[in-house]
Amino acid sequence: MKKKWYDYLWILSLAYLALGFFNIMAAWLGLLCFFIPLIISMVSGTKGYCSRYCGRGQLFGLLGGRFGLSRKKDIPGWMKSRWFRYGFLAFFLVMFMQMLFNTALVFSGVRDLNQAVTLLWTFQVPWHWAYHGTRLHAGAAQFAFGFYSVMLTSTILGLVTMVLFKPRSWCVYCPMGTMTQLICQAKHRP
């Protein structure tokens, strides 16, 4: 089967992580991974982004499948359950809102820029080398640090579940996948 252009979008996932490592302002590009799936599901009523265009899912498939970094075990039933997927989405959205709140505090001058990436919503890792100042407000950099934290954390979770279970196990409980599924269900409701 001949490869299509979108079969190589995993390269963009790696490029995103690398760019954010060296220049945190590149983290803004991650918004495409938020808006494009939502737009595709609203317009088409399908999860076409998840099955075809998601570079992260492709990356996990490549690492876990072709490179054999996955145990290829079934994901536990509770991780597939509706309450877990919706609960994880709710948790993810709360963490995202907290990130936006911290960004607003920097924009308003109440808090100084925190040049750190927060992994797994808990561990603050200094990331000062990735920010060299910009003409933009420090709040724009704070958003970038926060957003990169979200993207890196979800990548780490995806890698862990890829290793423990099937390659694309992250896709089962991915917050974006859950949101696009909810949009598709609403769109197809009579």
Side-chain angles (χ1 to χ4, degrees), residues 121-142:
W121 301 286
T122 307
F123 307 105
Q124 288 223 339
V125 180
W127 216 263
H128 58 279
W129 66 83
Y131 180 67
H132 311 288
T134 174
R135 291 184 179 153
L136 300 174
H137 192 281
Q142 187 64 58

Side-chain angles (χ1 to χ4, degrees), residues 16-162:
Y16 175 82
L17 294 172
L19 286 170
F21 186 83
F22 294 107
N23 184 343
I24 200 64
M25 296 306 283
W28 279 85
L29 294 171
L31 286 174
L32 294 171
C33 296
F34 270 45
F35 290 119
I36 292 173
L38 297 175
I39 291 168
I40 288 174
S41 64
M42 283 186 242
V43 171
S44 70
T46 68
K47 291 182 61 169
Y49 180 86
C50 296
S51 60
R52 183 173 288 162
Y53 304 115
C54 180
R56 184 178 298 172
Q58 290 177 5
L59 179 63
F60 296 151
L62 182 68
L63 293 175
R66 185 181 301 169
F67 292 112
L69 299 177
S70 172
R71 292 177 41 210
K72 296 181 177 68
K73 303 285 183 195
D74 282 335
I75 194 166
W78 61 268
M79 289 180 88
K80 297 177 193 176
S81 72
R82 181 178 258 177
W83 69 266
F84 180 77
R85 288 183 297 115
Y86 293 163
F88 188 73
L89 173 61
F91 174 76
F92 185 85
L93 290 174
V94 167
M95 294 298 109
F96 190 77
M97 295 306 288
Q98 179 184 358
M99 183 265 299
L100 291 177
F101 179 71
N102 289 332
T103 298
L105 291 177
V106 173
F107 267 113
S108 66
V110 172
R111 185 178 289 169
D112 291 331
L113 174 64
N114 182 13
Q115 294 185 42
V117 168
T118 306
L119 295 177
L120 302 172
W121 301 286
T122 307
F123 307 105
Q124 288 223 339
V125 180
W127 216 263
H128 58 279
W129 66 83
Y131 180 67
H132 311 288
T134 174
R135 291 184 179 153
L136 300 174
H137 192 281
Q142 187 64 58
F143 177 85
F145 278 108
F147 201 78
Y148 191 76
S149 297
V150 168
M151 296 295 277
L152 188 57
T153 291
S154 59
T155 301
I156 291 168
L157 290 173
L159 287 169
V160 168
T161 54
M162 175 205 73

